Amino acid sequence: MLALILLALSQPDIRIRRMPADANFFQPKNSKKLTRFMMDETYGTCRPLSAAWAQRGVLDATADSDFFSRLAYYGEALAAGVSRGAIFIAERDNGDLCGFADVGASLWLPGDQCFRLPQTPELQRIAATGVGSDGQRLPGVELRPYVSNLVVDTSLRRCGVGRRLMEACEEE
């Protein structure tokens, strides 16, 4: 019983919500916020002008672009009344990001042995019909839920934040 009380007291007051898409392509605040958090929690900080710092710049740009396109894709689908995924964020009372998880209805492509979000017209057509550009049915191609980028602040790990993010993903 004491363990349950201590666990309840150690649970931080965290809010889980859907991250909205960035409205401005030239100043994408939400995708940059996700990128910075993920890189800091995964790789830590780098000394400026070092080789690691340069490599981190390339990784940041790639992640920024990916998060921007994912948020836009999820937002457009939701606006059309279809849920194709979301990035759920965990925030402290003061609004600081302390975790996030990305879940999407991704297209399983058995020939490539990979998942892809159906963001292009070609992949959207395949997702809707299961038929390739040659008019032939593609066996094994289907939309499947795919969770990626589950990241939690190191100081809050083992406190239930990841579990709550996964519960939000499951509800999606």
Side-chain angles (χ1 to χ4, degrees), residues 67-167:
F67 284 133
F68 184 87
S69 65
R70 285 173 177 271
L71 287 170
Y73 173 72
Y74 297 151
E76 289 166 6
L78 193 59
V82 180
S83 180
R84 290 282 188 231
I87 296 178
F88 291 101
I89 60 171
E91 293 177 313
R92 292 183 171 95
D93 283 340
N94 63 3
D96 286 349
L97 185 64
C98 61
F100 72 91
D102 180 353
V103 61
S106 294
L107 192 59
W108 171 246
L109 301 169
D112 296 339
Q113 292 291 300
C114 68
F115 285 95
R116 290 211 173 96
L117 281 178
Q119 294 173 297
T120 66
E122 172 70 9
L123 290 177
Q124 288 172 359
R125 186 183 50 70
I126 292 171
T129 65
V131 175
S133 58
D134 60 0
Q136 300 295 315
R137 186 138 194 83
L138 299 171
V141 172
E142 62 184 355
L143 282 174
R144 295 182 183 177
Y146 185 82
V147 175
S148 62
N149 301 319
L150 175 61
V151 184
V152 175
D153 185 313
T154 53
S155 68
L156 292 174
R157 291 182 186 161
R158 310 291 303 160
C159 292
V161 175
R163 178 185 47 78
R164 290 183 55 203
L165 286 165
M166 288 304 299
E167 287 171 355

Side-chain angles (χ1 to χ4, degrees), residues 31 35 38-39 55-70:
S31 56
T35 297
M38 180 177 74
M39 294 300 180
Q55 184 178 20
R56 168 86 183 257
V58 172
L59 292 173
D60 283 357
T62 303
D64 271 349
S65 174
D66 185 51
F67 284 133
F68 184 87
S69 65
R70 285 173 177 271

